[in-house]
Amino acid sequence: MNPDNPVVRLCADGMRAESEGRDADARALFLEAWEAAEDDYDACVAAHYVARHQESPEDTLHWNEECLARADAVGDDRVRPFYASLHATVARAHLDLGRPEPARAHFESAATHLAGLPDGPYARWLGLCVARGLRTTGALGGGPADASVRALLRLLCASADLDALALLLPACRGGLGTLEDEERITEVLRMLRAERRLSGVEAAALDRALADRSATTAPDAAR
């Protein structure tokens, strides 16, 4: 974003006010940015921040949908990196209103746009948010293979096995259900087995998790 753009400057001032706990000032600055918008790009940027300071979920959804509509109206490379976040915020607003089906659709759209973000803490955080939304709305998880991995994670948490958790948690919590994501989980499980460090109930849970994943993928492999 162009820091010399007046709308961008106002939004930057609003974010600074947010970080200092001055929510009323932040809201006023974001509304000023909305009123100063001269085109759809400006309006898209401003609406994103105005949405964060609404008092009702209905108003939050309205502003998030306004933001997404303005991005669609721009339709060029300037807004392409916005889409993962825009769909995720619309999805969250639908969830807050008790509407899981449209929320799921927007979380799925957000997932398709994550690859357009540069790697870094923000992209990883947003990926975790989208993955959580997909699980919450029933688009991910629920099968025996997922249940056995969760059982293993509970045991590793109980024993505070930070090394094993450092391997398995990112693969599980950040996965979006793609074939690559599922293969990553299986690869981590195989690494833990090859290490031969787990024992007792943890080793048994690891074997179960691998067996369930093999059973899940066997029909596809046979084809």
Side-chain angles (χ1 to χ4, degrees):
M1 286 188 278
N2 180 6
D4 295 326
N5 182 319
V7 170
V8 172
R9 283 203 306 270
L10 284 166
C11 290
D13 290 342
M15 286 188 287
R16 188 176 305 110
E18 277 183 337
S19 69
E20 295 171 356
R22 296 184 287 112
D23 285 349
D25 291 341
R27 177 185 171 87
L29 286 162
F30 294 142
L31 285 171
E32 185 178 349
W34 169 258
E35 293 166 359
E38 295 184 351
D39 57 23
D40 286 317
Y41 178 82
D42 288 351
C44 172
V45 172
H48 173 70
Y49 292 104
V50 172
R52 290 166 29 167
H53 289 269
Q54 298 306 302
E55 295 182 357
S56 73
E58 291 84 2
D59 287 341
T60 300
L61 176 61
H62 164 76
W63 281 102
N64 281 319
E65 289 182 330
E66 179 71 30
C67 180
L68 183 56
R70 295 300 184 121
D72 287 341
V74 175
D76 61 30
D77 287 343
R78 290 176 298 166
V79 296
R80 198 153 288 119
F82 299 172
Y83 273 104
S85 174
L86 300 189
H87 280 289
T89 53
V90 171
R92 178 55 192 266
H94 277 295
L95 268 187
D96 289 344
L97 287 165
R99 302 170 182 168
E101 291 186 6
R104 183 187 308 118
H106 280 286
F107 280 127
E108 289 172 343
S109 294
T112 67
H113 290 285
L114 286 170
L117 295 175
D119 187 35
Y122 173 75
R124 291 190 289 273
W125 168 79
L126 184 56
L128 286 169
C129 292
V130 171
R132 183 171 62 245
L134 291 171
R135 288 191 299 271
T136 299
T137 57
L140 282 181
D146 299 295
S148 57
V149 171
R150 288 196 299 271
L152 173 60
L153 282 169
R154 285 193 292 271
L155 289 170
L156 295 174
C157 287
S159 64
D161 190 333
L162 299 183
D163 290 338
L165 288 169
L167 282 173
L168 190 53
L169 268 176
C172 292
R173 304 307 289 176
L176 299 171
T178 66
L179 180 61
E180 181 181 353
D181 291 330
E182 294 303 311
E183 289 176 345
R184 183 183 176 202
I185 296 172
T186 301
E187 181 183 6
V188 169
L189 294 173
R190 287 171 178 161
M191 290 166 62
L192 291 173
R193 175 186 273 175
E195 191 179 19
R196 296 184 181 277
R197 184 171 57 80
L198 302 184
S199 61
V201 294
E202 291 177 352
L206 173 58
D207 289 342
R208 169 55 60 190
L210 276 167
D212 285 346
R213 296 187 76 77
S214 296
T216 299
T217 58
D220 293 331
R223 287 196 292 269

